[in-house]
Amino acid sequence: MSSQPPTALKNFRWLLIAIPIFLLITVGVYLIRKPPNTKIPPRSSGHPAPSKSTNLAPLALSPDWSKLDRFQNIISKETFLNRLEKIYTKDSTWKKWITIDDANNKAFFGNYQLVFSPQDKRPPGSLFEWKTRADLSDDRARPLEDLIIAIDPGHIGGDFAKIEEREHNHDDLTIREGTMTLETALILKPLLEKLGASAILVRSKLEPITKNQAQDFADPRLFYRTSEIRARANVINQTIKPDLVICLHFNGTGSKKLIPDQHFHIIINGTYTKGELAHEDERFEMLQRLLSGTITEEIPLAREVAASFNQRTKLPAYRYPNSSRASQNLANHPNLWARNLLANRLYQCPVIFIEPYVMNSIPFVSRYRKNREGIFKEYAQAVADGVARHYSFK
Ligand SMILES: [Zn+2]
């Protein structure tokens, strides 16, 4: 008997090996060639999604801490702590996120280390360089020569005034804050130019700067406040790169009825609350302002603008309640207050945010009815005089 298996049996064994190999190759080829998931994701339309992380402010991106490298060995520990405690915070909650290492003359912001300098040196700007009044040439013919001033007419106005809740109706009158700020800005611009400045409007129409629309967000405030201010910040920080931003506003309360009195105050960035400091981006932006020293220009400038306003308008100073955790009086000046607003935090140069008049008050409405142009001229002139006075001093 031959020891070789019969041919049929040989073929059967071959099939036992070949079939599983064939199946494996077939499955393998299918898996490799399987088309990618073609399910179309929801249309993104290029709009930023609100940040999901609870440690970022709405629509914020995570900060790049290495951008603080430019402030290494620039500020003394004393100046750092003085600004942190007197301007940027009102209580000691900052200690949860900022640690001072006395032995090594350093601060820790989480993992990031900042080395203090034995003495204060001139700081760089955080995103771009801006001029202080000391940088201006002594022999300039006009006080604002060489200065770039961005004028930010607060809110959007026009048809957007209603959705942004900056519209008051009194009988036949409709008063819209964003429309009035633009009218004031259009008067202020040539006044500043006459004084030698290059004055640039952040918006020149009754339209938003942001490409977003109200319907992109469940909460319309994310459109007219957050997305709009972030878009303006991009224009200011990336294109205009000014030496100063003047934010024009008209105060107004939520009251539907006319209230008896008007008042006036100027807001400078500061007084970060515990909740704001808990946001990594806000903490970072606070440090950018603190380290670049915007406050050294903002306080003396705001003093001059307040003086010229007080001279012209005689409006009483507005006082925030002492119990307010989000505001504090600055430099013992009745008109100067520190508050952390999105605009005065994001615009990376000195910013003054002006809040005169009360647009739903009896005296304002009566004046508006008689001569609204007169209010805008008074406002613009007071700002121009104050700014000119500040930059005239050495
Ligand atoms: Zn306003």
Side-chain angles (χ1 to χ4, degrees):
M1 281 203 30
S2 163
S3 61
Q4 296 292 314
T7 312
L9 190 60
K10 264 200 232 164
N11 285 347
F12 180 66
R13 279 191 191 156
W14 181 86
L15 280 174
L16 274 182
I17 300 164
I19 288 171
I21 290 173
F22 174 74
L23 284 175
L24 275 172
I25 290 170
T26 311
V27 170
V29 166
Y30 170 75
L31 285 176
I32 290 165
R33 296 195 51 194
K34 187 175 173 241
N37 187 359
T38 50
K39 197 179 151 210
I40 299 165
R43 206 170 73 88
S44 83
S45 72
H47 298 139
S51 64
K52 292 202 177 71
S53 167
T54 49
N55 61 12
L56 293 178
L59 308 186
L61 300 173
S62 285
D64 172 3
W65 286 88
S66 73
K67 291 223 169 105
L68 297 188
D69 288 354
R70 53 175 48 208
F71 299 112
Q72 293 291 350
N73 242 301
I74 294 284
I75 195 170
S76 67
K77 186 179 79 184
E78 292 67 33
T79 300
F80 179 87
L81 283 174
N82 192 35
R83 287 183 193 163
L84 184 62
E85 293 180 325
K86 294 212 166 106
I87 311 282
Y88 292 99
T89 62
K90 202 174 177 178
D91 57 36
S92 58
T93 49
W94 60 266
K95 291 183 178 166
K96 190 168 171 193
W97 295 281
I98 298 173
T99 315
I100 306 295
D101 177 353
D102 286 307
N104 296 301
N105 208 32
K106 282 180 183 173
F108 284 87
F109 316 135
N111 292 327
Y112 189 86
Q113 293 182 42
L114 181 89
V115 179
F116 293 125
S117 163
Q119 282 101 34
D120 290 321
K121 295 179 198 158
R122 183 191 167 131
S126 50
L127 297 182
F128 56 91
E129 301 306 319
W130 42 267
K131 293 185 206 81
T132 68
R133 64 179 169 189
D135 296 327
L136 301 179
S137 141
D138 283 336
D139 53 13
R140 65 194 189 279
R142 293 177 294 172
L144 305 184
E145 262 176 36
D146 284 340
L147 276 177
I148 302 170
I149 301 179
I151 306 170
D152 182 20
H155 312 282
I156 307 166
D159 295 340
F160 291 88
K162 209 173 192 73
I163 192 175
E164 56 180 358
E165 297 175 83
R166 305 309 293 169
E167 176 176 301
H168 287 278
N169 294 291
H170 311 287
D171 305 324
D172 55 318
L173 269 190
T174 301
I175 296 181
R176 292 169 166 160
E177 184 179 358
T179 304
M180 296 194 294
T181 57
L182 181 56
E183 291 197 48
T184 307
L186 290 168
I187 300 171
L188 177 59
K189 182 176 162 30
L191 293 178
L192 295 176
E193 285 167 343
K194 230 172 149 183
L195 291 161
S198 161
I200 299 166
L201 297 184
V202 179
R203 75 170 165 100
S204 49
K205 293 180 189 159
L206 299 173
E207 287 170 13
I209 301 286
T210 174
K211 299 279 178 277
N212 284 149
Q213 295 173 357
Q215 52 267 37
D216 293 335
F217 305 103
D219 180 349
R221 283 175 299 182
L222 284 174
F223 158 64
Y224 65 79
R225 285 192 195 164
T226 316
S227 173
E228 176 62 12
I229 301 296
R230 289 194 181 280
R232 291 186 195 194
N234 287 341
V235 171
I236 288 168
N237 294 335
Q238 287 162 28
T239 310
I240 307 177
K241 301 183 180 177
D243 301 304
L244 164 69
V245 183
I246 303 171
C247 298
L248 301 176
H249 286 257
F250 285 77
N251 216 331
T253 72
S255 163
K256 287 252 184 278
K257 280 194 188 160
L258 290 180
I259 63 164
D261 299 312
Q262 306 192 83
H263 40 69
F264 159 60
H265 71 293
I266 296 180
I267 302 168
I268 290 170
N269 182 259
T271 323
Y272 285 63
T273 64
K274 189 180 169 190
E276 289 162 354
L277 287 173
H279 291 147
E280 190 189 349
D281 57 306
E282 294 200 58
R283 216 153 64 226
F284 174 81
E285 285 149 3
M286 175 193 79
L287 289 164
Q288 279 187 314
R289 296 197 78 79
L290 186 157
L291 296 168
S292 64
T294 49
I295 193 72
T296 57
E297 204 66 15
E298 287 163 331
I299 287 185
L301 171 67
R303 274 182 192 281
E304 293 307 326
V305 173
S308 71
F309 248 100
N310 289 334
Q311 225 166 36
R312 277 180 185 272
T313 68
K314 313 267 190 292
L315 293 172
Y318 176 71
R319 267 205 81 80
Y320 287 89
N322 284 339
S323 58
S324 160
R325 268 182 285 179
S327 61
Q328 63 190 323
N329 185 242
L330 274 185
N332 281 323
H333 191 293
N335 298 112
L336 270 50
W337 292 84
R339 277 180 71 192
N340 171 27
L341 310 171
L342 189 57
N344 69 9
R345 181 172 85 244
L346 294 183
Y347 305 166
Q348 286 299 320
C349 63
V351 180
I352 55 166
F353 195 102
I354 311 175
E355 285 280 14
Y357 311 104
V358 173
M359 58 178 179
N360 59 326
S361 69
I362 295 163
F364 186 85
V365 171
S366 118
R367 202 175 158 195
Y368 185 95
R369 202 183 283 283
K370 281 183 226 143
N371 177 16
R372 62 199 197 105
E373 184 83 4
I375 306 174
F376 309 147
K377 280 186 182 159
E378 175 185 80
Y379 189 161
Q381 195 63 58
V383 175
D385 290 351
V387 171
R389 256 193 336 224
H390 168 72
Y391 286 102
S392 298
F393 295 132
K394 265 288 170 191

